[in-house]
Amino acid sequence: MFLAVLVSVLSVVAVVGIALFVFGLRRRLIQRSGGTFDCSLRWNVPEEPDETPAGKGWVYGVARYSGDRIMWFRVFSYAPRPRRVLERSAIEVVGRRTPEGEEELALLSDAVVLGCLHRGVRLELAMSEDALTGFLAWLEAAPPGQRVNVA
């Protein structure tokens, strides 16, 4: 009986350990090529702020620059592919603000919230001030003739 319980406990510990290792390995592989930053995302945000409860809908992730696109990966996922791909030419910045109310608990402590439109879908990105500077510079560094949509 004792041996069966011990084997069960060790099996659970091994599975949890492997799961955590795979999370870490996946993040390391995403960041391997460089150009990554921590970035929370809230997709399909209603135009009226009262329609979304404060602090709800945010998903923590890692974004990676890839040419004229940003690939956004959920942190707590095993998926090898990005959850969202944002194209530079389709991103329109519509506002910038600091987290309000319960959002302060849902986001990283130094986050700035950037309101955007991407192909008609309203979204919000929350990132550090340094990451925001890099993101806005990336938007403005569009190739000649490409529309720049920075407010």
Side-chain angles (χ1 to χ4, degrees), residues 19-82:
L20 291 174
F21 175 77
V22 171
F23 269 131
L25 179 63
R26 178 181 169 270
R27 183 167 176 138
R28 186 78 168 160
L29 291 173
I30 291 169
Q31 294 178 324
R32 179 181 61 190
S33 62
T36 62
F37 59 97
D38 291 333
C39 177
S40 294
L41 172 76
R42 187 156 66 164
W43 189 260
N44 208 12
V45 179
E47 288 188 44
E48 298 298 323
D50 296 338
E51 293 180 26
T52 302
K56 301 292 182 190
W58 286 105
V59 181
Y60 183 60
V62 175
R64 179 176 69 201
Y65 296 106
S66 179
D68 286 337
R69 299 179 296 170
I70 286 187
M71 299 179 161
W72 184 84
F73 299 83
R74 292 178 69 131
V75 167
F76 300 109
S77 171
Y78 292 109
R81 295 189 178 157

Side-chain angles (χ1 to χ4, degrees), residues 135-151:
F135 178 79
L136 294 176
W138 174 79
L139 278 179
E140 292 174 358
Q146 187 174 336
R147 185 181 66 165
V148 176
N149 305 308
V150 178

